[in-house]
Amino acid sequence: MNRLLYPLIFITVIFTSQSQADSTPSEFIHFQIGFETTLSDEKIIKLMQSAKAKPRALFMWSSGISATYRSNDPMEPAEFIDKARKETSSFYRNALKSNKIRLKDFAAKNSKKEFLESESLQKQVRSLLNIRNSLENFTSTIDKGLPLIFAIEVKTPKDKREILEKNQLVKTYNSITHIENNNSMGATIPYAYKEKLNLKPEKLRKEYQAPLVTGATAGELYDLMIDLIN
């Protein structure tokens, strides 16, 4: 689901890989944990390894964009995170291309004079440029390996549960109970949450604003658009 707001931005995209149904044996537990902020991959990998936890989903954020990567493929933490970064980066690079196409189409259909005289046209371009700035920052954060993950979903042995619960990095905890009845495709119906919690830290919930775009005059907006599409 994508939700785009002007002049603020909040984008959520969910990636899912379902090559096999996820089954959690009785000796394992399945839950989500959230952190106070985005953490480095190294810290998250070390945390999961300490509890022999297997990742099932990553919750990522940067510059107003939230992305969830989910997979039932059995992978070690480092491999899971690496795959999540690569696939998420690829998705948003395509989004950047689409954004540029929309800007080009807009410029072709509207003259500079029409643009400068219309608040509605200026609003549309401001929104597109805000989104572009957010997308550029997000892909840069991914590709540079900067802190991106604010929560994870894992499967871990029951006797390792306290290692995660008591770790000082963990701020939010959400137990998940699998539902046993199957759907028509023969896969286990996902899960029921013990308690619906917002895993995202409070400071990451604010809508994102690109200062250069938000404070730009109509003329500056037009020049920004033309520079980007040329």
Side-chain angles (χ1 to χ4, degrees):
M1 176 184 71
N2 293 311
R3 182 162 65 91
L4 310 181
L5 302 178
Y6 169 83
L8 308 174
I9 299 178
F10 177 88
I11 305 174
T12 299
V13 177
I14 299 176
F15 305 86
T16 305
S17 173
Q18 296 180 330
S19 63
Q20 60 181 44
D22 181 29
S23 59
T24 303
S26 58
E27 67 269 21
F28 288 87
I29 57 171
H30 194 167
F31 59 95
Q32 299 172 333
I33 52 180
F35 312 117
E36 189 172 9
T37 187
T38 54
L39 299 181
S40 69
D41 293 355
E42 291 75 18
K43 286 184 178 180
I44 293 172
I45 290 169
K46 185 177 180 181
L47 173 64
M48 285 193 278
Q49 289 176 336
S50 70
K52 297 183 178 180
K54 300 298 183 183
R56 286 293 176 265
L58 301 179
F59 302 87
M60 301 168 277
W61 182 95
S62 179
S63 301
I65 294 180
S66 295
T68 299
Y69 179 84
R70 181 179 298 281
S71 176
N72 292 326
D73 294 339
M75 286 181 273
E76 292 301 315
E79 181 187 3
F80 192 97
I81 291 175
D82 181 64
K83 185 177 180 182
R85 280 186 178 269
K86 287 178 179 177
E87 293 190 14
T88 306
S89 177
S90 176
F91 177 89
Y92 282 109
R93 290 199 176 283
N94 287 331
L96 275 169
K97 292 177 182 177
S98 297
N99 178 271
K100 188 172 183 177
I101 290 171
R102 291 184 66 186
L103 286 168
K104 280 187 174 182
D105 183 62
F106 182 94
K109 293 179 178 178
N110 301 281
S111 68
K112 183 174 183 178
K113 182 177 183 297
E114 290 172 324
F115 178 83
L116 295 177
E117 294 176 350
S118 172
E119 289 187 6
S120 175
L121 294 180
Q122 293 165 28
K123 183 176 181 179
Q124 291 177 54
V125 169
R126 200 182 298 274
S127 178
L128 286 170
L129 292 177
N130 258 316
I131 293 167
R132 184 168 191 84
N133 182 271
S134 194
L135 291 169
E136 288 174 339
N137 289 342
F138 190 77
T139 54
S140 177
T141 297
I142 293 174
D143 297 342
K144 291 179 179 178
L146 298 175
L148 183 71
I149 302 166
F150 67 84
I152 58 177
E153 186 176 307
V154 299
K155 182 176 75 173
T156 194
K158 284 184 177 179
D159 61 358
K160 301 294 182 182
R161 175 175 183 161
E162 287 191 359
I163 294 176
L164 294 177
E165 286 182 323
K166 295 182 178 181
N167 189 288
Q168 62 180 358
L169 295 175
V170 176
K171 302 301 179 184
T172 308
Y173 179 89
N174 194 17
S175 297
I176 300 172
T177 303
H178 277 66
I179 301 173
E180 295 301 327
N181 47 322
N182 295 330
N183 62 24
S184 60
M185 300 298 291
T188 301
I189 296 175
Y191 13 79
Y193 297 97
K194 179 180 180 182
E195 183 180 0
K196 272 290 186 182
L197 299 175
N198 191 335
L199 295 170
K200 186 182 293 182
E202 183 68 34
K203 62 183 178 181
L204 303 185
R205 298 178 197 174
K206 295 181 180 179
E207 309 290 358
Y208 178 77
Q209 300 183 64
L212 180 64
V213 176
T214 302
T217 64
E220 290 169 339
L221 278 177
Y222 188 84
D223 291 341
L224 281 171
M225 176 179 65
I226 297 303
D227 288 343
L228 281 170
I229 65 178
N230 288 333

